[in-house]
Amino acid sequence: MVRILLALMVKEVKELVRDPKILLGVVLMPLILFPIIGSAIGVSQESAVRAASSSPIAIYDEDKGEASQRLIGFLEENGTVITLEASSLGEALTELEKGGYPTLLHIPLGYSANITSGRKAMVRIYANLRDLTITETVGAEAAANLINIYSYQASLSRIERLLGEVGATYEAEAVRSPIAIHYSSLVKGSLIEAPPHSIIGLVISQSILLPVLVMVMLMFAIQMAATSIAIEKEQKTFETLMTLPIDRLAILAGKLGGSTVVAILGSIAYMFGFSFYMGSALRFASQTPLPIGEVVLSPSPIGLLLLGCIIFITLVSGLALAISLAIFTDSVRAAQSLVGVVVIPVVVPAIILMFTSLENLPTWFRWILLMVPYTHSIISSKAALLGDYFGAVGGILYISIFTGITLYITSRLFSTERIITSRIGFRRGLRTKSKE
Amino acid sequence: MGIAVEASGLVKNYGGVQALRGCSFKVEEGEVFGLIGPNGAGKTTTLRIVGTLIKPTMGWVKVFGVDTVEGASEVRRMIGYLPEDAGAYPNLSGMEYLRFMAGFYARRSDIEAVVNEGIQISGLGERLGERIKGYSKGMTRRLLLARALMVRPRLAILDDPTAGLDIVHAHHIRVKIKEYVKRGGLTVLLSSHNMLEVEYLCDRVALIDRGIIIEEGGPEELKDRYGAENLEQVFLEATRIG
Ligand SMILES: Nc1ncnc2c1ncn2[C@@H]1O[C@H](COP(=O)(O)OP(=O)(O)OP(=O)(O)O)[C@@H](O)[C@H]1O
Ligand SMILES: [Mg+2]
């Protein structure tokens, strides 16, 4: 019995892994494409920032006063500055457009007068949005940042001078901003020196990642199992297997076991690929390291174990569902259109849970979602990661019950002749038509 | 000589379609028995019932005295079934396929002997090392015949074994079937559209039309009965009358 099962599984794995389409999906796609996309994102982000820091600021100095010269001097020291020789703002704007500069700084008439007489001065930044891309906002922001720094330094030196005049011993910094705020967050008993929004940001990005991973993995597994069943039916290899002196449940188990092995290989490849992807895409973004990795990101061994259980049971349930449905088809084409319907309950909860959590949904809708087992795959994975083991186990139980029922139905179907004779698809219509 | 297959009053309904309408026949042990009939006559349906793949709506079949419904797993140990128009696992090599199939019948120590027999029957030689997806239809059919016969079944059920094959491949298959029957211990139940093949191979034939057997007998006997020159004429005459 064990030998037969093993033989069936080995056949299944060989047949799947040698299929170029599946090889492409399992290995090449995640292991090559993801890192490529990731580094492409990383590179483009890097180049965007580099472009911004070196992007020139065009300046139209209408004021031409002493204070404006000081500001321009500071900007020249800390960036690239192009002074426009324009006689009016309109002319300067035309030149901005013609020259293709990203940013124009307009220092209006009266700037120096305001500064020297202690009134609030004003400058204007014009952003030149030629392609309407995110990158183009960076230039204006960079210019604004430089001006803010200059303004801050100017304010500090002015405060220091005034303090000196009255003979006070205050710190200039403290006069400007008497109260500083320091954030800490308490996460499940551990104190983390980070503001709450950065922690939540990380958790959110994780809870988007999880549904996507579960969804991709499941869709892949369902597609694979349905196709392999359909091929067996199309090629009539099932018919041969069914006349062998072996238990039909062994055939089912071999099919399930073989595709589970390949699906797990696929998931591992996806995880690897995805972490590369995240690594290279976020390499630049995460320059300010948060010390929260240990607490939020890496789950305990029990959490990991539960996560493994959830992924495994979800896979088996998806595979069982795919197999029991594909049995009714008689061609790969019919099986694949059927898969299109099956993935709906996989995709819908994943997409919804990417953007919101269950608690935010209307009650009736929440219950509908909760009936779909794949919703539990997602919420219990999150529960396992966040240390809510009770919730995770509950989810595992629900999916297991669903899987058990599916497997039971599948095994019943396997022991009937329906597996040989039923035909969802195109042939029945064709045949009866050709008969008439 | 005993009875290899006995079918009695087989009726099979597929939903509204009545594929068999009371089909009875007997196959003697050691003979080659051919089911011939037009498309849709019910040949495949009959062979599937004998091969334990489907159950008759009414009636019964016994293979060497064992009922195909009640004793399905016992029957499966005695038969080698070649499905109509079948393929094999495209990403396995012919060799891997034979070895995979042999494993279900033979003890570990006998597998090599069974596989060697399969290699002989297929006559594919070196090409057994290649993936099946590169095989022609004829090569695949030879591989599948090899798999059905190599395990030395008492009854081989061959559904249209040479359908769509060229002369060379079809000839190879016929010769191998004949050779194996001659060696003894093998009974063959086959279906065919090819009257030449049936005359060459079969000891007895049954004409099946619209789900019932309308004639049964040896090829010579049938030709005499209808005063026909060949089985093709017999077939045309018989279906006209029936
Ligand atoms: N799974 C099925 N569902 C519905 N009808 C079927 C099914 N299989 C066969 N039939 C119908 O049963 C009848 C007998 O079919 P069968 O396949 O046994 O014929 P056949 O003699 O093998 O024909 P052929 O020479 O074309 O192989 C046909 O009318 C066919 O359309
Ligand atoms: Mg047929």
Side-chain angles (χ1 to χ4, degrees):
Chain A
M1 183 64 200
V2 174
R3 185 168 65 121
I4 284 173
L5 194 63
L6 212 68
L8 284 164
M9 274 178 65
V10 168
K11 181 269 297 177
E12 196 63 34
V13 171
K14 269 189 195 166
E15 183 64 18
L16 287 172
V17 169
R18 287 180 187 172
D19 186 332
K21 277 188 295 286
I22 288 179
L23 196 69
L24 207 77
V26 175
V27 185
L28 297 184
M29 235 286 272
L31 286 187
I32 295 176
L33 204 63
F34 274 152
I36 287 178
I37 296 174
S39 35
I41 292 177
V43 165
S44 68
Q45 279 179 344
E46 246 180 78
S47 63
V49 175
R50 203 179 312 119
S53 61
S54 65
S55 80
I57 305 169
I59 295 179
Y60 168 48
D61 183 10
E62 202 183 357
D63 180 68
K64 288 196 169 67
E66 206 181 307
S68 76
Q69 285 308 312
R70 272 204 304 276
L71 173 61
I72 293 172
F74 173 81
L75 292 177
E76 272 169 346
E77 252 169 62
N78 295 286
T80 318
V81 166
I82 292 154
T83 320
L84 299 181
E85 301 300 336
S87 55
S88 71
L89 178 62
E91 211 172 283
L93 286 173
T94 320
E95 258 186 73
L96 172 75
E97 200 157 16
K98 240 193 295 166
Y101 311 119
T103 323
L104 173 71
L105 175 66
H106 175 211
I107 306 174
L109 213 56
Y111 169 87
S112 295
N114 281 337
I115 294 278
T116 40
S117 58
R119 281 193 302 272
K120 194 160 184 129
M122 195 264 296
V123 297
R124 231 177 242 285
I125 290 176
Y126 292 87
N128 185 8
L129 301 182
R130 278 165 303 166
D131 309 321
L132 292 172
T133 61
I134 290 279
T135 327
E136 290 173 322
T137 64
V138 180
E141 265 167 39
N145 276 342
L146 282 177
I147 293 168
N148 281 335
I149 291 170
Y150 179 77
S151 160
Y152 176 72
Q153 287 176 354
S155 129
L156 282 190
S157 61
R158 185 172 290 178
I159 291 169
E160 250 160 32
R161 207 179 57 237
L162 291 172
L163 287 173
E165 276 172 22
V166 294
T169 55
Y170 295 161
E171 281 176 30
E173 186 82 53
V175 173
R176 192 185 142 91
S177 169
I179 302 173
I181 299 173
H182 181 84
Y183 286 105
S184 294
S185 306
L186 192 64
V187 179
K188 284 184 280 127
S190 343
L191 207 56
I192 300 171
E193 303 293 310
H197 54 83
S198 3
I199 293 175
I200 297 305
L202 250 163
V203 173
I204 285 176
S205 72
Q206 253 195 338
S207 59
I208 287 178
L209 196 64
L210 253 171
V212 169
L213 267 179
V214 172
M215 183 176 75
V216 166
M217 185 187 74
L218 250 177
M219 275 173 35
F220 171 72
I222 287 177
Q223 177 82 25
M224 186 183 71
T227 309
S228 90
I229 288 272
I231 288 176
E232 294 239 25
K233 288 204 74 178
E234 214 175 66
Q235 299 284 320
K236 306 263 175 74
T237 45
F238 241 159
E239 239 169 274
T240 307
L241 283 183
M242 292 297 193
T243 61
L244 298 181
I246 50 177
D247 195 333
R248 291 190 172 185
L249 287 186
I251 301 174
L252 173 62
K255 192 104 228 157
L256 212 62
S259 27
T260 306
V261 168
V262 176
I264 287 176
L265 287 180
S267 320
I268 293 172
Y270 263 102
M271 300 259 182
F272 263 108
F274 222 92
S275 61
F276 274 132
Y277 162 77
M278 295 300 286
S280 38
L282 298 181
R283 180 160 38 94
F284 195 77
S286 61
Q287 267 182 347
T288 43
L290 287 171
I292 63 176
E294 312 85 56
V295 186
V296 182
L297 289 180
S298 38
S300 67
I302 300 173
L304 270 181
L305 193 75
L306 286 173
L307 188 67
C309 284
I310 293 162
I311 287 180
F312 180 77
I313 196 81
T314 302
L315 269 178
V316 174
S317 101
L319 291 171
L321 191 70
I323 289 173
S324 63
L325 288 172
I327 283 172
F328 290 108
T329 64
D330 64 349
S331 68
V332 172
R333 200 152 54 114
Q336 277 168 351
S337 41
L338 202 68
V339 163
V341 180
V342 178
V343 297
I344 291 174
V346 176
V347 174
V348 167
I351 290 179
I352 291 174
L353 293 176
M354 244 162 81
F355 295 109
T356 181
S357 70
L358 273 181
E359 294 77 50
N360 301 335
L361 296 168
T363 321
W364 61 272
F365 193 63
R366 192 190 315 166
W367 281 106
I368 291 177
L369 267 193
L370 278 174
M371 283 191 321
V372 179
Y374 306 111
T375 308
H376 294 268
S377 310
I378 296 164
I379 54 180
S380 4
S381 315
K382 199 168 157 188
L385 283 181
L386 292 178
D388 171 15
Y389 304 136
F390 222 65
V393 170
I396 291 176
L397 277 181
Y398 184 81
I399 307 169
S400 304
I401 291 169
F402 176 82
T403 310
I405 294 171
T406 319
L407 273 178
Y408 177 75
I409 295 171
T410 315
S411 68
R412 290 309 297 254
L413 288 173
F414 252 73
S415 51
T416 66
E417 64 182 53
R418 220 161 309 178
I419 186 165
I420 303 291
T421 59
S422 54
R423 315 157 158 175
I424 290 181
F426 318 93
R427 236 168 87 196
R428 179 177 237 152
L430 272 177
R431 266 218 184 175
T432 39
K433 231 175 253 162
S434 65
K435 275 276 145 63
E436 254 77 81
Chain B
M1 277 293 168
I3 306 260
V5 182
E6 185 179 2
S8 170
L10 291 181
V11 172
K12 181 67 191 179
N13 297 332
Y14 292 114
V17 186
Q18 193 162 42
L20 294 179
R21 301 184 294 157
C23 181
S24 307
F25 61 92
K26 270 186 198 155
V27 180
E28 304 274 338
E29 195 172 346
E31 74 176 350
V32 179
F33 187 93
L35 269 182
I36 53 182
N39 292 125
K43 302 180 294 294
T44 299
T45 305
T46 308
L47 297 188
R48 279 176 169 175
I49 293 174
V50 179
T52 74
L53 282 169
I54 60 178
K55 295 180 180 121
T57 312
M58 268 196 274
W60 50 262
V61 179
K62 283 183 176 157
V63 174
F64 296 106
V66 182
D67 189 276
T68 53
V69 177
E70 256 102 70
S73 46
E74 203 182 329
V75 170
R76 285 180 196 138
R77 271 195 288 277
M78 298 189 282
I79 60 172
Y81 183 87
L82 176 63
E84 176 181 38
D85 196 22
Y89 301 104
N91 293 310
L92 297 189
S93 71
M95 203 63 186
E96 285 174 317
Y97 179 73
L98 291 179
R99 201 162 271 138
F100 168 64
M101 286 296 179
F104 298 120
Y105 292 87
R107 295 173 178 284
R108 203 178 289 264
S109 52
D110 299 338
I111 288 183
E112 283 314 305
V114 172
V115 169
N116 278 333
E117 185 126 20
I119 297 171
Q120 294 297 318
I121 302 171
S122 76
L124 292 174
E126 296 275 281
R127 305 211 52 186
L128 281 173
E130 296 170 19
R131 298 267 171 94
I132 293 171
K133 66 174 152 202
Y135 285 17
S136 71
K137 194 171 175 183
M139 290 169 69
T140 310
R141 205 71 184 146
R142 281 161 68 160
L143 181 71
L144 293 185
L145 179 79
R147 121 53 230 153
L149 296 183
M150 70 180 181
V151 294
R152 304 240 171 174
R154 290 178 72 189
L155 172 70
I157 303 166
L158 312 174
D159 198 347
D160 222 342
T162 61
L165 301 196
D166 66 27
I167 303 168
V168 178
H169 287 301
H171 179 72
H172 177 93
I173 284 184
R174 285 176 201 139
V175 167
K176 284 295 169 190
I177 294 172
K178 200 143 199 172
E179 185 187 319
Y180 268 72
V181 173
K182 220 179 231 164
R183 276 163 57 168
L186 175 67
T187 306
V188 175
L189 169 60
L190 60 80
S191 78
S192 182
H193 289 113
N194 187 324
M195 298 302 152
L196 263 172
E197 167 171 297
V198 172
E199 279 203 68
Y200 172 77
L201 273 178
C202 297
D203 301 306
R204 275 182 334 114
V205 297
L207 298 188
I208 181 169
D209 190 24
R210 274 165 276 170
I212 9 181
I213 306 258
I214 53 172
E215 264 309 344
E216 198 178 332
E220 293 305 319
E221 191 187 335
L222 289 179
K223 280 192 270 184
D224 284 350
R225 199 179 298 166
Y226 284 85
E229 273 169 30
N230 53 39
L231 273 181
E232 217 155 68
Q233 271 184 0
V234 173
F235 184 82
L236 290 171
E237 285 293 319
T239 46
R240 192 177 306 149
I241 296 162

